[in-house]
Amino acid sequence: MSGPTAREAVLGRIRDALALAPPGRQPVPRAYRTGRTLPDDERLALFTGRLADYRAGVRVCTAAATAEAVAGALDAHGARRVGVPPGLDPAWLERFGGEVLVDSAAVSPRMLDGLDAVVTASAAACAETGTVLLDGSPDQGRRALSLVPDVHVLVVGLSTVAAGVPEALALLVPGRPTTLVSGPSATSDIELERVEGVHGPRVLEVVLRTDA
Amino acid sequence: MTRPSRPGAAAGSGDDPPERPLPGTPAPPPHAPPGTGRLRGDTPFPRAARAALGDHTLRDNLRRATGTIRARRLAATRELPDWERLRDAGAALKSEALDRLPELLPQLEAAFTGRGGTVHWARDAAEANAIVTRLVRETGSEEVVKVKSMATQEIGLNEHLARQGITAYETDLAELIVQLSGDRPSHILVPAIHRNREEIRGILRDGIPDADPRLGSDPAELAAAARAHLRERFLTVPVAVSGANFGIAETGTLCVVESEGNGRMCLTLPRTLITVMGIEKVVPLHRDLEVFLQLLPRSATGERMNPYTSLWTGVTPGDGPQEVHLVLLDNGRTAALADPLGRGALGCIRCSACLNVCPVYERVGGHAYGSTYPGPIGAVLSPYLAGMHATGDDPNRTLPYASTLCGACLDACPVRIDLPAMLVDLRRRHTEEAGRTPEALAMRTAGAVMRRPRLYTAAQRTAARLARAAARREGRITRLPPPLAGWTEARDAPVPARDAFRSWFASPEGAAAMRAAAREGERRRAAHEGPGGGAPADGHDRREEER
């Protein structure tokens, strides 16, 4: 095909458009709240309250009691076969009596679908919105792992819970495959009524470690 | 100040005469070409609206849904003390991104490509459809799973793929409902907002193979049926097609905001991912998400945060699709960009808050607008993208009139798009382009009559008599003869009073009423004398204090 490529054509149209209607450049006012900090007890109360609003489960514990809290969350949902990312601290599953599958490239989506639950760590969290951020680090695993099983147990350290959205996003490393999770999967597509549990995990259990 | 009328007028006419500009002078970019995709319906808005208004189930469904979502949005936005400042930032960021498109798009392209992705450019819907089709063919698959996306609705991708023998499965619950019932989306965010649970139960029961015939109408049960139906597709279909809410130039990162997890499934499990994104979705910095991820969920569903937001940057070895494509779509966006006012519509982040607060949308629903984009934003975006004069009776020219100009949409818009100003400007343009019309003649005549008081009074009396004759028994005028038919095409008119105000005012009865009102005023003033008088009415509760 002759003539300019689509790329040249579109960029040319953009330049023409901006020449015909020259932009009035104005600075971006970033006067919204950033750099907020809140004391531990306030972040804890805010974060757990917001998670409860999404009908996510919350278990608050110390780092030493992580294994107990994780086992409690898995047992509460009758999970017997549990997937974990390769970098997860094995000590976290010491109190769990079921079968643990360590994820790898050899594990197919269908095998993930056969799991009862998944346990992962997290990269950061946001108290104001009850959001947990996953970035694919070895203790969080690839995205499919925390998506396909029906129960997701998320271990969060209180020190990584930021006050608001700007503060939490600032903790991310851009370019990593990132997922922001705010409660279990949900839909409001039927009469705008929120229903928890569609394609993503229908159960979200957050284990919040107060001294980690 | 002079109005830059040339580019405005050029961008407004749909047929884009290929006027050859002098070498070196900019040419007005073309609108989205007619014929492919869905940027116009086939019925003028007033006629489509009349049909919708007669559908009582539709009106009940819409009233309930928009009422619910309005309350939720207000609660979610009121909660943030810096909401207005976030809106300021969002509006300015969108404007900056549009101004810097010539640098941001190549930057996005380079970053995305640098991470193993492939970028394609599409001038219009047909070109985008052809690119996606070729990419799907190259995988050998005859099926794709789809994340809900306005861009792919706009270009009519599903229909195009079907003609090429490729089956596209919509995976968003509402899109699934629409697809299974052979319907069209009627809302940007909740495409099946016009359906109630009983209707949805029937659609899923009849449309899902092996569905339980005893399927109930509880939303949780309906969602579970969709989950079971689509799980196998997610696990087996090797190609996904998505849109994108944001594309970050700085890092080459794409962002999809969703609720159900169907988005995550599509973005994660298939081997190949093809994303179709309008060129206006680019934002400069990764940091800019901190603004939009607050504005969008609270404006859209009234949630503090939507359940899932996915960010991906090209290919990540061992995680997600190993072949990723980005199709950058123009399809009339540059035509809108060339319009000094219309370019503001490109700032839309598709939250649909303007639909939910619009008194017109609430009553007629989304189908009446014809285009993929309904409601106030659709009433401006469709003409700006596709023009108003593609055919002799282009339905898009009726869209700027699908508004009462009440301004609720501007109040609700998280990026402060001045929709009322655009609606008025598009009306002006339509009127100017329409040239000599009976309406223009009538206005000129009325002007001449009004300059002569005696003539005016006489004309008024005659007109009132005629209008009363035209009225139906229920006291409304529903149809006037030509050349006045245009007035009653879209509205009923009240029957004029027997007496004109001016003659009543001059009568003894009028004089007595005025004296009584004056006495009443005196009495009230006396009663309020002293303590501060009346407190000023404060209609605005904005600018709350910092927490």
Side-chain angles (χ1 to χ4, degrees):
Chain A
M1 206 166 74
S2 63
T5 64
R7 182 183 192 277
E8 289 162 13
V10 173
L11 287 172
R13 290 174 182 178
I14 292 169
R15 280 190 297 272
D16 282 353
L18 293 176
L20 289 166
R25 196 70 69 83
Q26 50 162 334
V28 175
R30 294 193 191 259
Y32 52 88
R33 297 171 302 163
T34 53
R36 274 185 296 159
T37 54
L38 288 175
D40 277 2
D41 56 336
E42 285 183 37
R43 275 181 300 128
L44 186 138
L46 191 57
F47 184 50
T48 53
R50 297 292 149 92
L51 284 169
D53 283 351
Y54 295 134
R55 280 172 247 184
V58 188
R59 287 157 199 266
V60 179
C61 66
T62 60
T66 307
E68 207 175 337
V70 168
L74 291 171
D75 293 343
H77 299 285
R80 300 314 304 151
R81 303 191 65 225
V82 172
V84 297
L88 193 83
D89 185 347
W92 292 0
L93 282 141
E94 267 171 4
R95 304 288 289 271
F96 174 63
E99 184 188 338
V100 176
L101 174 81
V102 179
D103 187 36
S104 71
V107 177
S108 68
R110 198 171 291 286
M111 288 162 78
L112 293 176
D113 195 38
L115 296 173
D116 299 324
V118 54
V119 181
T120 72
S122 58
C126 170
E128 189 169 67
T129 60
T131 303
V132 183
L133 294 77
L134 303 169
D135 73 356
S137 294
D139 59 356
Q140 297 152 48
R142 58 179 173 146
R143 288 170 290 167
L145 174 66
S146 51
L147 170 64
V148 179
D150 206 12
V151 176
H152 186 184
V153 178
L154 251 170
V155 181
V156 179
L158 183 58
S159 67
T160 69
V161 181
V165 171
E167 296 81 5
L169 290 177
L171 299 174
L172 285 178
V173 179
R176 289 195 185 160
T178 300
T179 308
L180 279 62
V181 176
S182 306
S185 75
T187 183
S188 302
D189 279 354
I190 301 167
E191 297 181 8
L192 273 296
E193 185 175 307
R194 185 179 157 110
V195 178
E196 278 80 19
V198 198
H199 303 292
R202 286 183 280 195
V203 174
L204 183 73
E205 286 273 355
V206 174
V207 172
L208 180 60
R209 312 201 299 165
T210 52
D211 53 350
Chain B
M1 229 185 81
T2 56
R3 190 167 39 222
S5 61
R6 211 189 76 84
S13 58
D15 5 46
D16 298 313
E19 54 178 84
R20 243 359 295 160
L22 296 170
T25 54
H31 284 110
T36 308
R38 185 113 218 158
L39 282 172
R40 58 168 54 80
D42 33 42
T43 312
F45 182 83
R47 210 183 317 147
R50 187 168 300 141
L53 285 169
D55 184 338
H56 291 280
T57 310
L58 174 74
R59 292 186 65 174
D60 280 351
N61 296 351
L62 283 169
R63 186 168 47 232
R64 190 163 336 117
T66 55
T68 306
I69 204 162
R70 280 199 300 266
R72 234 189 280 158
R73 185 185 66 84
L74 278 180
T77 56
R78 217 172 260 152
E79 197 176 275
L80 291 188
D82 56 350
W83 181 251
E84 296 303 319
R85 277 164 282 162
L86 284 165
R87 290 177 75 198
D88 292 338
L93 275 171
K94 276 296 180 178
S95 162
E96 187 202 334
L98 293 173
D99 293 349
R100 293 176 54 201
L101 280 181
E103 87 190 79
L104 293 180
L105 289 172
Q107 191 188 2
L108 171 70
E109 179 186 40
F112 192 79
T113 308
R115 291 286 301 264
T118 309
V119 174
H120 312 260
W121 299 70
R123 280 167 276 218
D124 52 39
E127 195 163 29
N129 285 334
I131 292 168
V132 175
T133 306
R134 176 170 57 78
L135 293 173
V136 175
R137 284 249 171 79
E138 282 170 10
T139 69
S141 175
E142 290 177 347
E143 298 174 313
V144 301
V145 281
K146 278 195 69 204
V147 189
K148 175 175 147 37
S149 132
M150 296 308 293
T152 60
Q153 284 284 358
E154 172 192 323
I155 62 176
L157 178 65
N158 290 6
E159 296 77 3
H160 178 82
L161 290 176
R163 283 193 296 271
Q164 305 296 314
I166 298 166
T167 307
Y169 299 107
E170 290 291 352
T171 64
D172 171 78
L173 178 53
E175 289 282 8
L176 175 71
I177 293 162
V178 166
Q179 191 179 40
L180 288 179
S181 53
D183 201 353
R184 286 194 296 116
S186 72
H187 189 274
I188 290 176
L189 191 74
V190 195
I193 196 168
H194 57 292
R195 299 287 195 184
N196 63 36
R197 62 183 71 192
E198 281 303 328
E199 296 173 279
I200 292 169
R201 179 178 75 111
I203 291 166
L204 294 184
R205 193 190 47 205
D206 300 342
I208 295 179
D210 314 321
D212 186 346
R214 292 158 305 169
L215 181 67
S217 61
D218 175 40
E221 206 178 324
L222 297 170
R227 177 185 166 98
H229 169 58
L230 286 173
R231 177 99 350 185
E232 192 59 25
R233 304 234 191 279
F234 289 135
L235 293 176
T236 55
V237 176
V239 187
V241 176
S242 84
N245 292 95
F246 308 102
I248 303 164
E250 177 187 33
T251 55
T253 303
L254 300 180
C255 175
V256 161
V257 172
E258 53 129 357
S259 294
E260 297 171 9
N262 64 308
R264 290 177 72 192
M265 290 282 179
C266 293
L267 301 173
T268 308
L269 295 184
R271 233 199 77 75
T272 302
L273 171 61
I274 304 163
T275 301
V276 181
M277 182 182 103
I279 53 173
E280 83 285 16
K281 296 281 164 197
V282 68
V283 296
L285 303 175
H286 197 272
R287 187 191 169 181
D288 299 334
L289 290 177
E290 71 189 24
V291 175
F292 294 114
L293 291 186
Q294 296 194 74
L295 290 176
L296 181 51
R298 289 180 195 260
S299 300
T301 49
E303 292 169 298
R304 295 188 178 106
M305 192 64 94
N306 50 292
Y308 300 131
T309 298
S310 293
L311 303 170
W312 73 100
T313 310
V315 173
T316 303
D319 187 347
Q322 295 301 295
E323 198 186 315
V324 297
H325 297 272
L326 172 61
V327 182
L328 292 171
L329 174 72
D330 178 358
N331 206 35
R333 282 156 179 79
T334 48
L337 188 67
D339 186 295
L341 201 55
R343 68 189 319 174
L346 297 178
C348 174
I349 57 174
R350 313 280 190 261
C351 73
S352 61
C354 63
L355 279 59
N356 302 328
V357 300
C358 178
V360 176
Y361 177 87
E362 181 181 346
R363 284 162 183 81
V364 303
H367 290 160
Y369 295 81
S371 159
T372 294
Y373 303 102
I377 186 63
V380 300
L381 202 51
S382 310
Y384 282 131
L385 294 179
M388 295 190 283
H389 301 277
T391 56
D393 54 351
D394 189 338
N396 274 3
R397 78 173 56 164
T398 61
L399 291 181
Y401 299 90
S403 167
T404 65
L405 299 179
C406 73
C409 48
L410 172 58
D411 280 348
C413 178
V415 291
R416 300 195 194 282
I417 297 173
D418 195 346
L419 293 156
M422 294 177 192
L423 290 164
V424 170
D425 193 54
L426 287 167
R427 291 181 186 188
R428 172 191 65 77
R429 197 178 298 164
H430 168 236
T431 309
E432 284 176 7
E433 284 163 11
R436 253 172 224 264
T437 61
E439 190 179 353
L441 182 67
M443 286 295 172
R444 247 199 322 278
T445 311
V449 170
M450 282 172 169
R451 277 195 293 274
R452 297 169 180 79
R454 292 268 268 303
L455 185 57
Y456 177 66
T457 309
Q460 198 178 36
R461 208 169 291 143
T462 310
R465 204 171 306 132
L466 287 174
R468 294 183 65 78
R472 301 229 301 229
R473 232 170 319 182
E474 52 282 32
R476 312 288 295 169
I477 302 171
T478 55
R479 186 161 302 178
L480 285 169
L484 303 169
W487 182 259
T488 48
E489 189 186 16
R491 56 175 86 66
D492 294 348
V495 177
R498 203 170 296 275
D499 267 346
F501 173 78
R502 276 149 37 95
S503 59
W504 173 84
F505 188 77
S507 70
E509 189 194 348
M514 291 307 292
R515 277 196 303 277
R519 277 198 302 276
E520 173 74 12
E522 278 303 321
R523 210 168 37 244
R524 289 196 180 201
R525 224 184 340 270
H528 280 274
E529 212 75 294
D538 185 5
H540 298 275
D541 59 352
R542 294 299 185 187
R543 297 283 168 196
E544 299 95 321
E545 283 309 299
E546 285 267 22
R547 193 189 298 184

